[in-house]
Coordinates of all heavy atoms in Angstrom, one line a residue:
Y262 N 9.5 -0.8 -2.4 CA 9.4 -0.9 -0.9 C 10.4 -0.1 -0.2 O 11.6 0.1 -0.7 CB 9.6 -2.4 -0.5 CG 8.6 -3.4 -1.0 CD1 8.7 -4.1 -2.2 CD2 7.4 -3.6 -0.2 CE1 7.8 -5.0 -2.6 CE2 6.5 -4.5 -0.7 CZ 6.7 -5.2 -1.9 OH 5.7 -6.1 -2.3
A263 N 10.1 0.4 0.9 CA 11.1 1.0 1.8 C 12.1 0.0 2.2 O 11.7 -1.2 2.4 CB 10.4 1.6 3.0
D264 N 13.3 0.4 2.4 CA 14.3 -0.6 2.7 C 14.0 -1.3 4.1 O 14.3 -2.5 4.2 CB 15.7 0.1 2.9 CG 16.3 0.5 1.5 OD1 15.8 -0.1 0.5 OD2 17.1 1.4 1.5
S265 N 13.4 -0.6 4.9 CA 13.1 -1.1 6.3 C 12.1 -2.3 6.3 O 12.0 -3.0 7.2 CB 12.6 0.0 7.2 OG 11.4 0.6 6.7
V266 N 11.3 -2.4 5.2 CA 10.3 -3.4 5.1 C 10.5 -4.5 4.1 O 9.8 -5.5 4.0 CB 8.9 -2.8 4.9 CG1 8.6 -1.8 6.0 CG2 8.7 -2.3 3.5
K267 N 11.6 -4.3 3.3 CA 11.9 -5.3 2.2 C 12.1 -6.7 2.8 O 12.8 -6.9 3.8 CB 13.1 -4.9 1.4 CG 12.9 -3.7 0.5 CD 14.1 -3.4 -0.3 CE 13.9 -2.2 -1.2 NZ 15.1 -1.8 -1.9
G268 N 11.5 -7.7 2.2 CA 11.5 -9.0 2.7 C 10.5 -9.4 3.7 O 10.4 -10.6 4.0
R269 N 9.8 -8.4 4.2 CA 8.8 -8.7 5.3 C 7.4 -8.3 4.8 O 6.5 -8.9 5.2 CB 9.2 -7.9 6.5 CG 10.5 -8.2 7.2 CD 10.7 -7.6 8.5 NE 10.7 -6.1 8.4 CZ 9.9 -5.3 9.0 NH1 8.9 -5.8 9.8 NH2 10.0 -4.0 8.9
F270 N 7.3 -7.2 4.0 CA 6.0 -6.7 3.6 C 5.8 -7.1 2.1 O 6.8 -7.1 1.3 CB 5.9 -5.2 3.8 CG 5.8 -4.8 5.2 CD1 6.1 -5.6 6.3 CD2 5.5 -3.4 5.5 CE1 6.0 -5.2 7.6 CE2 5.4 -3.0 6.8 CZ 5.7 -3.8 7.8
T271 N 4.6 -7.3 1.7 CA 4.3 -7.5 0.3 C 3.0 -6.7 0.0 O 2.0 -6.8 0.7 CB 4.0 -9.0 0.1 OG1 5.2 -9.8 0.4 CG2 3.7 -9.2 -1.4
I272 N 3.1 -6.0 -1.1 CA 2.0 -5.2 -1.5 C 1.4 -5.9 -2.8 O 2.1 -6.5 -3.6 CB 2.4 -3.7 -1.9 CG1 1.2 -2.9 -2.2 CG2 3.4 -3.7 -3.0 CD1 1.5 -1.4 -2.3
S273 N 0.1 -5.9 -2.8 CA -0.6 -6.4 -4.0 C -1.9 -5.6 -4.2 O -2.3 -4.8 -3.4 CB -0.9 -7.9 -3.8 OG -1.8 -8.1 -2.6
R274 N -2.5 -5.9 -5.3 CA -3.7 -5.1 -5.6 C -4.7 -6.0 -6.5 O -4.2 -6.9 -7.2 CB -3.4 -3.8 -6.4 CG -2.8 -4.0 -7.7 CD -2.4 -2.6 -8.3 NE -3.5 -1.7 -8.6 CZ -3.4 -0.4 -9.0 NH1 -2.2 0.1 -9.1 NH2 -4.5 0.3 -9.3
D275 N -5.9 -5.7 -6.3 CA -7.0 -6.3 -7.1 C -7.7 -5.2 -7.9 O -8.5 -4.4 -7.3 CB -7.9 -7.0 -6.2 CG -9.0 -7.8 -6.9 OD1 -9.3 -7.4 -8.1 OD2 -9.6 -8.7 -6.4
N276 N -7.3 -5.0 -9.1 CA -7.9 -3.9 -9.9 C -9.4 -4.0 -10.1 O -10.0 -3.0 -10.2 CB -7.2 -3.9 -11.3 CG -5.7 -3.4 -11.2 OD1 -5.3 -2.8 -10.2 ND2 -5.0 -3.7 -12.2
A277 N -9.9 -5.2 -10.1 CA -11.3 -5.4 -10.3 C -12.1 -4.8 -9.1 O -13.2 -4.3 -9.3 CB -11.7 -6.8 -10.5
E278 N -11.5 -4.8 -8.0 CA -12.1 -4.3 -6.8 C -11.5 -3.0 -6.3 O -11.9 -2.5 -5.3 CB -12.0 -5.3 -5.6 CG -12.8 -6.6 -6.0 CD -12.7 -7.6 -4.8 OE1 -12.2 -7.3 -3.7 OE2 -13.3 -8.7 -5.0
N279 N -10.6 -2.5 -7.1 CA -9.9 -1.2 -6.7 C -9.4 -1.3 -5.3 O -9.6 -0.4 -4.5 CB -10.8 0.0 -6.9 CG -11.1 0.3 -8.3 OD1 -10.3 0.1 -9.2 ND2 -12.3 0.7 -8.6
T280 N -8.7 -2.4 -5.0 CA -8.2 -2.6 -3.6 C -6.7 -2.9 -3.6 O -6.2 -3.6 -4.5 CB -9.0 -3.8 -3.0 OG1 -10.4 -3.6 -3.0 CG2 -8.5 -4.1 -1.6
V281 N -6.1 -2.4 -2.7 CA -4.7 -2.6 -2.5 C -4.5 -3.2 -1.1 O -5.2 -2.9 -0.1 CB -3.8 -1.3 -2.6 CG1 -4.2 -0.3 -1.5 CG2 -2.3 -1.6 -2.5
Y282 N -3.6 -4.2 -1.0 CA -3.3 -4.9 0.2 C -1.9 -4.7 0.6 O -1.0 -4.5 -0.2 CB -3.6 -6.4 0.0 CG -5.0 -6.7 -0.5 CD1 -5.2 -6.9 -1.8 CD2 -6.0 -6.9 0.4 CE1 -6.5 -7.2 -2.3 CE2 -7.3 -7.2 0.0 CZ -7.5 -7.4 -1.4 OH -8.8 -7.7 -1.8
L283 N -1.6 -4.9 1.9 CA -0.3 -4.9 2.4 C -0.2 -6.0 3.4 O -0.7 -5.9 4.5 CB 0.1 -3.6 3.1 CG 1.5 -3.4 3.5 CD1 2.5 -3.4 2.3 CD2 1.7 -2.2 4.4
Q284 N 0.5 -7.1 3.0 CA 0.8 -8.2 3.9 C 2.0 -7.9 4.7 O 3.1 -7.7 4.1 CB 0.9 -9.5 3.1 CG 1.2 -10.7 4.0 CD 0.1 -11.1 4.9 OE1 -1.1 -11.1 4.5 NE2 0.4 -11.3 6.2
M285 N 1.9 -7.8 6.0 CA 3.0 -7.4 6.9 C 3.4 -8.6 7.7 O 2.6 -9.0 8.6 CB 2.7 -6.2 7.7 CG 2.2 -5.0 6.9 SD 2.0 -3.5 7.9 CE 0.6 -4.1 8.9
N286 N 4.6 -9.1 7.5 CA 5.0 -10.3 8.3 C 6.3 -9.8 9.1 O 6.9 -8.8 8.8 CB 5.4 -11.4 7.4 CG 4.3 -12.0 6.6 OD1 3.1 -12.0 7.1 ND2 4.5 -12.4 5.4
S287 N 6.6 -10.7 10.1 CA 7.7 -10.4 10.9 C 7.8 -9.0 11.5 O 8.8 -8.3 11.4 CB 9.0 -10.7 10.2 OG 9.1 -12.0 9.7
L288 N 6.6 -8.6 12.0 CA 6.5 -7.2 12.4 C 7.4 -6.9 13.6 O 7.7 -7.7 14.4 CB 5.0 -6.9 12.8 CG 4.1 -6.7 11.6 CD1 2.7 -6.9 12.0 CD2 4.3 -5.3 11.0
K289 N 7.9 -5.6 13.6 CA 8.8 -5.1 14.6 C 8.2 -3.9 15.3 O 7.3 -3.3 14.7 CB 10.1 -4.7 13.9 CG 10.8 -5.8 13.1 CD 12.1 -5.3 12.4 CE 12.8 -6.3 11.6 NZ 14.0 -5.8 10.9
P290 N 8.6 -3.6 16.5 CA 8.1 -2.5 17.2 C 8.2 -1.2 16.4 O 7.4 -0.3 16.4 CB 8.9 -2.4 18.5 CG 9.2 -3.8 18.7 CD 9.5 -4.4 17.4
E291 N 9.3 -1.1 15.6 CA 9.5 0.1 14.8 C 8.5 0.2 13.6 O 8.5 1.3 12.9 CB 11.0 0.2 14.3 CG 11.4 -1.1 13.6 CD 12.2 -2.0 14.5 OE1 11.8 -2.1 15.7 OE2 13.3 -2.5 14.1
D292 N 7.7 -0.8 13.4 CA 6.7 -0.7 12.4 C 5.5 0.0 12.9 O 4.5 0.3 12.1 CB 6.3 -2.1 11.9 CG 7.4 -2.8 11.1 OD1 8.1 -2.1 10.3 OD2 7.6 -4.0 11.4
T293 N 5.4 0.3 14.2 CA 4.3 0.9 14.8 C 4.1 2.3 14.2 O 5.0 3.1 14.2 CB 4.5 1.0 16.3 OG1 4.5 -0.3 16.9 CG2 3.3 1.8 16.9
A294 N 2.9 2.5 13.7 CA 2.6 3.8 13.0 C 1.1 3.7 12.6 O 0.5 2.7 12.6 CB 3.5 4.0 11.8
V295 N 0.7 4.9 12.1 CA -0.6 4.9 11.4 C -0.3 4.7 9.9 O 0.5 5.4 9.3 CB -1.3 6.3 11.6 CG1 -2.6 6.3 10.8 CG2 -1.6 6.5 13.1
Y296 N -1.0 3.8 9.3 CA -0.7 3.4 7.9 C -1.8 4.0 7.1 O -3.0 3.8 7.4 CB -0.7 1.9 7.8 CG 0.6 1.3 8.3 CD1 0.9 1.3 9.6 CD2 1.5 0.8 7.3 CE1 2.1 0.7 10.1 CE2 2.7 0.3 7.8 CZ 3.0 0.2 9.1 OH 4.2 -0.3 9.6
Y297 N -1.4 4.7 6.0 CA -2.4 5.4 5.2 C -2.3 4.8 3.8 O -1.2 4.6 3.2 CB -2.0 6.9 5.1 CG -2.2 7.6 6.4 CD1 -1.1 7.8 7.2 CD2 -3.4 8.2 6.7 CE1 -1.2 8.5 8.4 CE2 -3.5 8.9 7.9 CZ -2.4 9.0 8.7 OH -2.5 9.7 9.9
C298 N -3.5 4.5 3.2 CA -3.6 4.1 1.9 C -3.5 5.3 1.0 O -4.1 6.4 1.3 CB -4.9 3.4 1.6 SG -5.3 2.9 -0.1
N299 N -2.8 5.2 -0.1 CA -2.7 6.3 -1.1 C -2.9 5.7 -2.5 O -2.6 4.6 -2.8 CB -1.3 6.9 -1.0 CG -1.0 7.8 -2.2 OD1 -0.4 7.4 -3.2 ND2 -1.4 9.0 -2.0
A300 N -3.6 6.6 -3.3 CA -3.8 6.2 -4.7 C -3.7 7.4 -5.6 O -4.2 8.5 -5.2 CB -5.1 5.5 -4.9
K301 N -3.2 7.3 -6.7 CA -3.2 8.3 -7.8 C -4.5 8.1 -8.6 O -4.6 7.0 -9.2 CB -2.0 8.2 -8.7 CG -0.7 8.5 -8.0 CD -0.5 9.9 -7.7 CE 0.9 10.2 -7.1 NZ 1.2 11.6 -6.8
I302 N -5.4 9.0 -8.5 CA -6.7 8.8 -9.1 C -7.0 9.9 -10.1 O -6.8 11.1 -9.8 CB -7.8 8.8 -8.0 CG1 -7.7 7.5 -7.1 CG2 -9.2 8.8 -8.6 CD1 -8.6 7.4 -6.0
R303 N -7.6 9.5 -11.2 CA -8.0 10.4 -12.2 C -9.5 10.2 -12.5 O -9.9 9.1 -12.8 CB -7.2 10.2 -13.5 CG -7.7 11.1 -14.6 CD -6.9 10.8 -15.9 NE -7.1 9.5 -16.4 CZ -8.2 9.1 -17.2 NH1 -9.2 10.0 -17.5 NH2 -8.3 7.9 -17.6
F304 N -10.3 11.2 -12.4 CA -11.6 11.1 -12.8 C -11.7 11.2 -14.3 O -10.9 11.7 -15.0 CB -12.5 12.2 -12.2 CG -12.7 12.0 -10.7 CD1 -11.8 12.7 -9.8 CD2 -13.7 11.2 -10.2 CE1 -12.0 12.5 -8.4 CE2 -13.8 11.0 -8.9 CZ -13.0 11.7 -8.0
T305 N -12.8 10.5 -14.8 CA -12.9 10.3 -16.3 C -13.0 11.6 -17.1 O -12.6 11.6 -18.3 CB -14.1 9.4 -16.6 OG1 -15.3 10.0 -16.1 CG2 -13.9 8.0 -16.1
D306 N -13.4 12.7 -16.5 CA -13.5 13.9 -17.2 C -12.3 14.8 -17.1 O -12.3 16.0 -17.5 CB -14.7 14.7 -16.7 CG -14.7 15.1 -15.3 OD1 -13.9 14.5 -14.6 OD2 -15.5 15.9 -14.9
T307 N -11.2 14.3 -16.5 CA -10.0 15.1 -16.4 C -8.8 14.2 -16.9 O -8.9 13.0 -17.1 CB -9.7 15.5 -15.0 OG1 -9.3 14.3 -14.2 CG2 -10.9 16.1 -14.3
S308 N -7.7 14.9 -17.0 CA -6.4 14.2 -17.4 C -5.4 14.3 -16.3 O -4.2 14.0 -16.6 CB -5.9 14.8 -18.7 OG -5.6 16.1 -18.6
I309 N -5.8 14.7 -15.2 CA -4.9 14.9 -14.1 C -5.1 13.8 -13.0 O -6.2 13.6 -12.5 CB -5.0 16.3 -13.5 CG1 -4.8 17.3 -14.5 CG2 -4.1 16.5 -12.3 CD1 -5.0 18.7 -14.1

């Protein structure tokens, strides 16, 4: 976690559904932003 969100945000994932969650509590104005999901993905025919 970024230091700025520790204790307030919780990340979790459901591998069966290939889903990641971000629970954001105690939100502050400085949390205002566009939030982007990111994943490291490898297709089965590659090793990258």
Side-chain angles (χ1 to χ4, degrees):
Y262 296 93
D264 289 340
S265 60
V266 307
K267 287 181 179 178
R269 299 187 297 118
F270 291 10
T271 302
I272 188 170
S273 61
R274 65 188 292 173
D275 183 339
N276 288 341
E278 299 182 2
N279 291 324
T280 302
V281 63
Y282 304 93
L283 186 67
Q284 179 67 47
M285 305 185 294
N286 299 325
S287 301
L288 283 162
K289 304 175 180 179
E291 50 263 44
D292 295 318
T293 297
V295 177
Y296 285 70
Y297 296 92
C298 175
N299 168 265
K301 298 284 187 180
I302 292 177
R303 177 184 63 82
F304 288 96
T305 56
D306 61 345
T307 72
S308 60
I309 301 173

